[in-house]
């Protein structure tokens, strides 16, 4: 929270200040449906810790990657039609990142575009 001037949209979702369709939640991660889906299954795997991007990681942040991969594994085992999936992280504005709270796209099913 407190190192930032304002909370990210994802922190507001985590704190239940704005609505989202929450698909899974652990101590470390929340999973929501992407509001503008690029596939028939399009979730966002979001660390509850508000880290801007991978470039901003400190040593103790690398474990977030483990929690994110573990959640992708769980989703693939539990969501019908998500046995095979794509993961994407846009890290930095130059790579297309729009929400500056780290998140990993989980895409499966029918892909609407690349
Ligand atoms: P990017 O930062 O490039 O990974 O893109 C951010 C993603 O977050 C986009 O796919 C948006 O559709 C999605 N998004 C933005 N705001 C929300 C929201 N309030 N609820 C769900 N998904 C969102």
């Amino acid at each position: 929270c407190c190192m930032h001037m304002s909370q990210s949209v994802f922190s507001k979702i985590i704190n239940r200040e704005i609505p989202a369709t929450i698909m899974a939640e652990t101590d470390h991660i929340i999973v929501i449906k992407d509001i503008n889906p690029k596939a028939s299954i399009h979730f966002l795997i979001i660390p509850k810790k508000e880290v801007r991007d991978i470039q901003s990681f400190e040593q103790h942040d690398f474990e977030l990657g483990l929690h994110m991969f573990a959640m992708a594994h769980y989703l693939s085992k539990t969501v019908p039609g998500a046995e095979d999936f794509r993961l994407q992280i846009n890290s930095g504005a130059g790579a297309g990142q729009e929400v500056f709270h780290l998140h990993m796209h989980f895409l499966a099913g029918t892909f609407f575009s690349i």
Side-chain angles (χ1 to χ4, degrees), residues 9-10 13 18-20 32-38 42 44 88-90 95-101 103 105:
V9 61
F10 294 155
I13 288 170
I18 62 171
I32 64 171
K33 279 192 179 178
D34 196 292
I35 204 169
N36 181 22
K38 304 263 191 314
H42 187 171
L44 301 174
Q88 181 170 327
I89 296 174
N90 301 324
Q97 187 176 3
E98 294 176 350
V99 177
F100 294 97
H101 177 151
H103 55 281
H105 297 259

Side-chain angles (χ1 to χ4, degrees), residues 36-48:
N36 181 22
K38 304 263 191 314
S40 56
I41 296 170
H42 187 171
F43 302 149
L44 301 174
I45 299 174
I46 308 167
K48 289 186 173 177

Side-chain angles (χ1 to χ4, degrees), residues 70-91:
M71 180 57 75
H73 175 93
Y74 171 78
L75 294 170
S76 77
K77 299 293 187 189
T78 57
V79 176
E83 292 83 5
D84 296 344
F85 57 89
R86 276 182 210 170
L87 300 176
Q88 181 170 327
I89 296 174
N90 301 324
S91 196

